[in-house]
Amino acid sequence: MAEAFPDVKKIVYGGPKSRNPLEFKHYNATEMVGGKTMKDHLRFSVVYWHTFSNPLGDPFGMGTALRPWDDNSGSLANAIKKVKVAFEFIEKLGAPYYAFHDRDVSPEGATIQESHKNLDAVARALKEEQDRTGVKLLWGTANLFSNKRFMHGAATSPNLDVFAFAGAQVKKAMEVTHELGGEGYTFWGGREGYSTLWNTDMKRELDHLAAFLHMAVDYKKQIGFAGPFYIEPKPMEPTKHQYDSDAESCLNFLRTYGLLPYFKLNIETNHASLAGHEMEHELRISMASDALGSIDANTGDPLVGWDTDQFPTDIYLTTKCMLCILDMGGLTTGGVNFDAKVRRESFEPIDLFHAHIGGMDAFARGLKIAHAIREDGRLASFVKDRYASWNSDLGKTVESGKASFADLEAHAFKAGDVTSNVSGRQEMLENLVNEFV
Ligand code: XLS
Ligand code: NI
Ligand code: NI
């Protein structure tokens, strides 16, 4: 088969002075940062859905994407042909991982049995290409939201037939993920939520979702799939309210139903902003429960209200992400997964390279800056010193859960009104960070 990107050679590191748009300026896979290569820190992953299967439509217009390898037949043969294209792209880019939904890689058949068969056929092609290139599967997932049968949700559908169909689909997607050596498996609640409470028994739907995920946990053990499950928060879109709305609500749901030991969170930037949070907030709150697993790296537009899934280029954003990741000791099974798409106006195949190169460079810079901030140490010591009063005997008693209100009262009586507050120095710290950016 002829190459799909004949004008693009393997993307190499050209350094910050390079003016070649098809070279990395900052991502140098083998360069060491704090004892580990950039490649191992960042664990970049390309998503199949946006990069190879998204026609770039929007609510007001049809797709614009020029994808010469797609004959728009939706056939199995075309899906298998596309596997080669995908791996040519990923290999030329030099990303070590990819991720997919069952329905991005293989077409839906007339029956679920046929859909399973289609997926098996594509999985064989994926396996071959994985073996040929060394590119690995970061995570797999099932698309339980595009087909009209999922109009009321999947695991939270009021219709048990839909619930069962979704279970069959996830079962198969887990098997294929496992066969392909996937390092994790993701649940994003596509339409698990509601559009109106007039027709919804929310408690019953949440119970059903938990039952569904428990079956997945059981099946994971049965087939010996060792990787983590990820749950990916998002507050809305397509529904008005999604049950996996943000990291804290996911954690609460998982804890309530005894699922937390089996799940980590996959945090996506644009979902955080839709939830009214900063990405850093979602990462820190996940880390506080030892549950940060992976990130879907993208960004929203500050003025457009949707999940626009743009490629991340903001260095402050990537710096904050990498500070969190370094603080937690690095990603293990997770990665920096570009759940991002090129703009509808960027319709040529080459734009896919520009987009990924930019995202990888932005994260490489974020990594280097975050590492330098940590080496410098002033930021971390400032935060630590801010809590110095807690190192007292009373502070220790409170933190160990042994203090009472009477102890606090005794302290307050003795200390009198508070005169010990000090400045939070936000502006000084912002300036400090700017020394590195
Ligand atoms: C959609 C989600 C989706 C998940 C995988 O907004 O980000 O792409 O990552 O189902
Ligand atoms: Ni995502
Ligand atoms: Ni998203």
Side-chain angles (χ1 to χ4, degrees):
M1 193 176 107
E3 285 180 79
F5 307 95
D7 303 332
V8 183
K9 302 271 156 296
K10 170 111 180 120
I11 308 297
V12 297
Y13 173 68
K17 296 221 171 77
S18 163
R19 291 293 170 265
N20 182 344
L22 293 177
E23 279 179 1
F24 293 118
K25 315 289 181 300
H26 300 278
Y27 178 62
N28 185 7
T30 54
E31 187 179 321
M32 300 293 279
V33 177
K36 207 157 116 179
T37 63
M38 283 198 179
K39 182 177 174 223
D40 289 345
H41 274 292
L42 294 162
R43 298 168 57 84
F44 286 127
S45 163
V46 173
V47 305
Y48 217 94
W49 53 100
H50 284 319
T51 305
F52 309 113
S53 304
N54 191 329
L56 305 179
D58 72 12
F60 299 94
M62 57 173 65
T64 57
L66 209 75
R67 302 290 181 253
W69 54 83
D70 207 334
D71 64 10
N72 292 315
S73 61
S75 69
L76 180 60
N78 194 242
I80 290 174
K81 204 171 112 198
K82 205 160 73 176
V83 170
K84 291 248 191 285
V85 176
F87 277 78
E88 180 192 332
F89 177 86
I90 301 168
E91 201 184 12
K92 283 183 170 169
L93 183 67
Y97 289 97
Y98 76 111
F100 66 75
H101 300 82
D102 49 3
R103 292 295 95 89
D104 324 318
V105 293
S106 79
E108 178 124 21
T111 61
I112 184 159
Q113 290 88 332
E114 196 183 313
S115 299
H116 281 14
K117 268 201 207 137
N118 288 349
L119 185 54
D120 281 333
V122 179
R124 280 192 290 275
L126 290 168
K127 179 84 178 46
E128 264 176 37
E129 287 298 285
Q130 284 185 202
D131 291 346
R132 183 184 67 77
T133 59
V135 170
K136 293 186 275 186
L137 178 60
L138 188 70
W139 49 259
T141 187
N143 180 329
L144 305 177
F145 44 90
S146 294
N147 189 285
K148 68 175 191 251
R149 78 176 66 86
F150 299 120
M151 62 173 78
H152 304 294
T156 62
S157 173
N159 182 348
L160 178 59
D161 286 342
V162 178
F163 184 94
F165 196 104
Q169 207 181 312
V170 168
K171 177 175 177 289
K172 184 68 186 173
M174 282 174 63
E175 288 163 10
V176 168
T177 299
H178 185 41
E179 279 159 27
L180 292 174
E183 297 193 13
Y185 184 91
T186 294
F187 291 88
W188 164 62
R191 289 179 197 274
E192 313 294 21
Y194 60 79
S195 291
T196 174
L197 285 174
W198 290 121
N199 66 15
T200 302
D201 184 339
M202 191 159 32
K203 168 75 167 77
R204 206 161 175 189
E205 293 198 0
L206 287 167
D207 289 349
H208 294 168
L209 179 58
F212 190 89
L213 296 178
H214 271 291
M215 289 184 225
V217 169
D218 290 344
Y219 196 58
K220 166 180 151 83
K221 292 181 187 156
Q222 196 181 317
I223 61 176
F225 177 64
F229 279 162
Y230 302 119
I231 189 161
E232 182 179 324
K234 183 175 183 180
M236 62 191 82
E237 258 186 52
T239 64
K240 152 206 182 109
H241 174 84
Q242 306 251 141
Y243 296 134
D244 53 9
S245 26
D246 66 358
E248 286 189 280
S249 60
C250 283
L251 289 166
N252 179 58
F253 168 83
L254 294 170
R255 268 199 196 95
T256 302
Y257 289 99
L259 287 160
L260 193 54
Y262 311 102
F263 281 80
K264 300 245 180 240
L265 300 187
N266 178 34
I267 300 295
E268 177 166 321
T269 321
N270 206 161
H271 297 180
S273 38
L274 286 176
H277 300 305
E278 289 186 345
M279 177 65 167
E280 194 186 6
H281 168 95
E282 290 291 84
L283 296 174
R284 292 280 173 203
I285 207 78
S286 309
M287 286 160 69
S289 287
D290 196 19
L292 177 58
S294 197
I295 71 172
D296 269 8
N298 64 15
T299 192
D301 184 287
L303 300 183
V304 183
W306 317 328
D307 189 14
T308 58
D309 286 337
Q310 286 165 235
F311 275 82
T313 53
D314 181 323
I315 308 300
Y316 286 99
L317 169 67
T318 58
T319 298
K320 288 177 185 177
C321 289
M322 291 317 298
L323 263 176
C324 292
I325 289 171
L326 292 178
D327 281 354
M328 81 164 191
L331 295 165
T332 50
T333 52
V336 174
N337 180 50
F338 289 113
D339 191 354
K341 60 179 184 237
V342 289
R343 297 304 79 202
R344 189 168 179 269
E345 300 85 342
S346 308
F347 61 92
E348 296 174 16
I350 192 76
D351 291 306
L352 296 170
F353 277 99
H354 294 307
H356 283 86
I357 291 170
M360 289 163 82
D361 267 345
F363 264 90
R365 282 185 73 184
L367 167 64
K368 286 191 260 187
I369 294 166
H371 176 67
I373 291 174
R374 281 165 50 91
E375 287 286 287
D376 171 79
R378 278 175 293 160
L379 188 64
S381 357
F382 182 90
V383 176
K384 192 158 166 257
D385 292 350
R386 197 160 170 246
Y387 296 86
S389 64
W390 287 86
N391 300 334
S392 63
D393 286 342
L394 177 61
K396 284 182 196 143
T397 327
V398 174
E399 287 190 341
S400 61
K402 289 187 191 119
S404 67
F405 267 177
D407 297 328
L408 299 187
E409 189 181 55
H411 179 86
F413 281 178
K414 207 167 117 213
D417 199 4
V418 176
T419 54
S420 46
N421 271 330
V422 292
S423 167
R425 301 260 188 269
Q426 178 171 335
E427 297 77 3
M428 184 192 85
L429 296 173
E430 285 166 348
N431 299 347
L432 186 157
V433 168
N434 270 356
E435 286 177 31
F436 298 88
V437 176

